[in-house]
Structures are given as structure tokens and as C-alpha cells.
Amino acid sequence: MYCQASGAAEAMANENFKTYVDQACRAAEEFANIYYETMDKRRRVLTKLYLDKATLVWNGNAVSGQAALAEFFEMLPSSDFQVTTFDCQPVHEQATLNHNTILVVTCGSVKFDGSKQQYFNQNFLLTAQTTNNNTVWKIASDCFRFQDCPN
Amino acid sequence: LLCDSFPPTTLPPTKGSYFGSEDLKALILRFLQQYYTVYDSGDRQGLLDAYHDGACCSLSIPFSLHNHSRSTLAEYFKNSRNVKKLKDPTMRFRLLKHTKLNVVAFLSELPKTQHDINSFIVDVCAQTNTLLSFTVNGVFKEVDGKCRDSVRAFTRVFIVVPAGNNGLCIVNDQLFIRKATNKEIRKAFVMPAPTPSSSPVPTLTA
């Protein structure tokens, strides 16, 4: 009896998790497309994708808050990003106090104006902002690094 | 004319590790040293203590990023989860390892390794009362099998929650493994590995 009940509970938990994974993948896919296109082509509205108190660590340089982010992205040379790979995971609810959050990691290459093409890794924590049944994913944190340049 | 007066934009200089505070630095370095001591020990079952019951883990190999990455990283490819290329929801689900037993079973099947802790560059990405997210970039070599002594580069994101005794418990783990560049191979394992008895906290690139 107990085994059956716990088996059913486990199956349900697994089914819920599967739903979260599916949701995370669809959100990550949409986000990766929008983020890099905005970065490359509409840089001045990029900070709209970030929460007010979002943090960025860019090659070891820490930036936080909308105003500082806007200043940082304005200063950054124009870019051409090619994302080849991304992965995502639902972040455990114990870490987020049940605030629906996903981890998105990306890698690819980027050519900044005036620099040679470089490979990079980047990761984001996205949190769901739901208003009127409409869910928008916003960046809570962003961490970017160049890979070592190939010789 | 006005446009001419703007200074040309340049990339900000690349810096070393970003920890945010000395306390976090000590906490994370201690965690990494303990984690990789077990990870590189030849028996990864001991990592069960490091993961939350409901932890997730996945591995990605960059798609056609470097020439021949497919052949030299063959051992990792069957578990590579690239959501950009992988459209089938069942496969997306299957390649995300969930619950600590599955995570540690998965990690135990990966090639045996030795990590160069001196190569690590760590960034603290996010911190709240309930969450700490940090990225580790570095190199390791395989110590067994047909790729013995091959140097690989990796980028790994850990999301951890506070645990007892000032410890950390991993809830999310995402690992990128790629071919190391010539420069990375030349620099790998140049510094002697820190000995746990004499220096409990290793000095990383800061």
C-alpha cells in the first residue's frame, strides 16, 4: 500500500519535473534568440531584458543595476554573436524560494568591432515575471567570459 | 561634429576571478578543493554528500566550435545536451540528470581526471540568502584510457544552497567540456598541485 502510494507520488513529482524541464528549454530557446539579436542589433534596449537589480560579471568586471548596465552596454563596441550551443536547467526551488527560475548557459563566438573573433561562455539566471497570465523571463544575473584565445 | 568627440569604444580589460568578497572566496575555494579532491580520486561515489537530493546535472560539448572536437571528445558526446540542436522533448529530459543518485552515477561514468586547480578562474554570478551561483573555468587532464594525458578545458556552473557546518550543497551543475587551446595546454599543470596538508586553501588566479 505504502509503496504504491509513494510510487504514485514519485511518478507525479517526476511528471512535474518533466514539465519544468520542457518549460525551461522553450524559454531558453526563445531567450537565446532574443538576447543575442538585441545585443547585436538593438543594443540600447538590451537592459529591458534585465531586472532592475540585475548583476553582470563580464570577464571579471562586476556591474549591477539598470543604470550601470546601460552605461556598460553603451560603452561596449558593436558585436556579432554566433551562438553554437546552449543548455538549460530549472533551478531548484530551495535556492529560489519557489520563484520560478532557470539557468541558461551558452557558448559560441563573438566578433566585437575592433577586436578579433573570440570564443565565449556565458550563463544567465532568468526569473519568471507573471502579469495577467503572461510570463516574461527577465535576467537576474549574467556572467560572461572569453575562452582562452586559440593560438 | 559631435560624433567625432566621442572616444572610440574599446573592450574593457579582462580581469581574473571575481569573488565579490574575501569570505566568499574562502568558502568557494574550500568547496572546490574538497569537491575536486573527491572528483579526481578515482571513486566519485563520495560526491553523493555534495549534492542535494533533487539536484540536476548536464554536460554540453560545444558544437563544431573547434576542429575535430567530435572525435577527440567522443567519450563525452553521447551525453552532450545542446538544446539548440536537440529538439525532442524526451531527449532533452533524458540528458538532464535528476536526483543525486543519477547525477553521481552519471559523473562516475565520465573519464577519470586530474584537475589543475591553479588554472581555475572563478566568477561569483549571483548571491542571495538561499542561493550562490558561481562559474569555474579551468583545465584538467584525463588520467586513464585511450585519451590518457589529454588536456581538456571546461567551464562549469554550480548553483549551491547553504548546508550545515558552513558547507554548500549543490542543486544545479552544468558542465561544458571543450578541446584545450595550445596556449592552455602549454600553461596546464605548470605550477605544482597544492598539497592539502600544508595549504588547505589553494591560491587561484585572482
Side-chain angles (χ1 to χ4, degrees):
Chain A
M1 286 296 279
Y2 281 118
C3 287
Q4 270 178 6
S6 105
E10 203 170 288
M12 189 183 272
N14 206 40
E15 208 44 51
N16 281 343
F17 182 69
K18 199 168 179 176
T19 307
Y20 286 132
V21 173
D22 196 43
Q23 181 192 43
C25 289
R26 281 181 287 120
E29 209 162 18
E30 195 183 337
F31 170 78
N33 288 332
I34 292 173
Y35 182 83
Y36 292 102
E37 200 188 308
T38 309
M39 181 75 169
D40 287 349
K41 295 178 182 156
R42 291 186 302 280
R43 181 80 63 79
R44 70 198 175 282
V45 296
L46 186 66
T47 55
K48 289 189 174 176
L49 302 177
Y50 289 80
L51 288 175
D52 287 347
K53 290 183 177 170
T55 57
L56 164 69
V57 179
W58 198 92
N59 279 320
N61 300 276
V63 181
S64 69
Q66 282 279 334
L69 285 169
E71 193 180 331
F72 181 85
F73 290 127
E74 193 180 323
M75 173 204 67
L76 210 58
S78 58
S79 54
D80 182 9
F81 274 89
Q82 307 288 334
V83 175
T84 58
T85 309
F86 62 80
D87 190 9
C88 60
Q89 299 180 2
V91 177
H92 197 279
E93 71 261 16
Q94 192 178 319
T96 63
L97 300 174
N98 295 314
H99 200 136
N100 203 354
T101 302
I102 61 174
L103 167 69
V104 180
V105 299
T106 64
C107 82
S109 63
V110 56
K111 169 86 179 71
F112 281 107
D113 198 23
S115 308
K116 61 184 184 345
Q117 189 184 46
Q118 298 194 68
Y119 295 107
F120 73 93
N121 283 88
Q122 191 164 13
N123 71 78
F124 303 90
L125 287 179
L126 306 182
T127 64
Q129 308 280 296
T130 304
T131 42
N132 304 326
N133 278 336
N134 185 29
T135 298
V136 179
W137 294 87
K138 292 261 188 182
I139 303 167
S141 73
D142 171 357
C143 185
F144 175 97
R145 258 203 197 268
F146 287 142
Q147 292 174 10
D148 214 336
C149 351
N151 294 321
Chain B
L1 271 171
L2 273 176
C3 289
D4 286 344
S5 66
F6 285 119
T9 56
T10 51
L11 288 178
T14 293
K15 294 183 180 171
S17 295
Y18 175 76
F19 287 100
S21 74
E22 287 302 313
D23 286 351
L24 277 181
K25 180 177 177 177
L27 183 71
I28 291 170
L29 294 187
R30 191 174 62 228
F31 167 84
L32 289 176
Q33 196 191 33
Q34 289 170 351
Y35 183 89
Y36 282 106
T37 298
V38 180
Y39 195 92
D40 289 348
S41 69
D43 178 9
R44 297 190 179 132
Q45 286 302 308
L47 294 176
L48 283 168
D49 292 337
Y51 286 90
H52 191 282
D53 284 338
C56 282
C57 176
S58 55
L59 166 73
S60 289
I61 308 302
F63 181 79
S64 67
L65 204 54
H66 300 287
N67 289 339
H68 313 302
S69 65
R70 185 174 284 272
S71 56
T72 59
L73 293 168
E75 292 236 37
Y76 302 95
F77 251 99
K78 66 174 190 288
N79 289 303
S80 177
R81 187 172 188 262
N82 178 3
V83 173
K84 186 181 167 87
K85 304 285 173 194
L86 200 68
K87 300 293 181 188
D88 175 21
T90 309
M91 281 307 286
R92 284 175 166 183
F93 180 66
R94 193 176 297 160
L95 289 175
L96 178 60
K97 307 304 169 188
H98 182 221
T99 76
K100 76 173 171 185
L101 288 176
N102 291 320
V103 169
V104 174
F106 166 64
L107 295 175
S108 297
E109 281 183 22
L110 295 178
K112 291 188 170 36
T113 51
Q114 183 188 346
H115 284 73
D116 180 8
I117 216 160
N118 291 310
S119 74
F120 287 9
I121 293 179
V122 179
D123 288 318
V124 171
C125 316
Q127 189 204 0
T128 69
N129 288 337
T130 52
L131 167 154
L132 179 63
S133 166
F134 56 95
T135 311
V136 186
N137 304 273
V139 297
F140 65 86
K141 65 183 176 189
E142 294 189 13
V143 294
D144 214 357
K146 65 174 187 286
C147 291
R148 193 190 162 108
D149 291 333
S150 296
V151 175
R152 319 283 191 201
F154 73 98
T155 296
R156 192 167 190 170
V157 182
F158 289 108
I159 300 177
V160 299
V161 294
N165 286 332
N166 209 12
L168 301 172
C169 178
I170 305 164
V171 289
N172 290 84
D173 175 5
Q174 204 288 335
L175 175 61
F176 263 114
I177 296 177
R178 61 182 171 84
K179 203 181 154 201
T181 62
N182 291 335
K183 190 173 157 194
E184 284 168 329
I185 292 169
R186 269 202 317 276
K187 283 163 63 184
F189 297 98
V190 172
M191 302 259 289
T195 45
S197 55
S198 63
S199 57
V201 176
T203 317
L204 305 194
T205 315

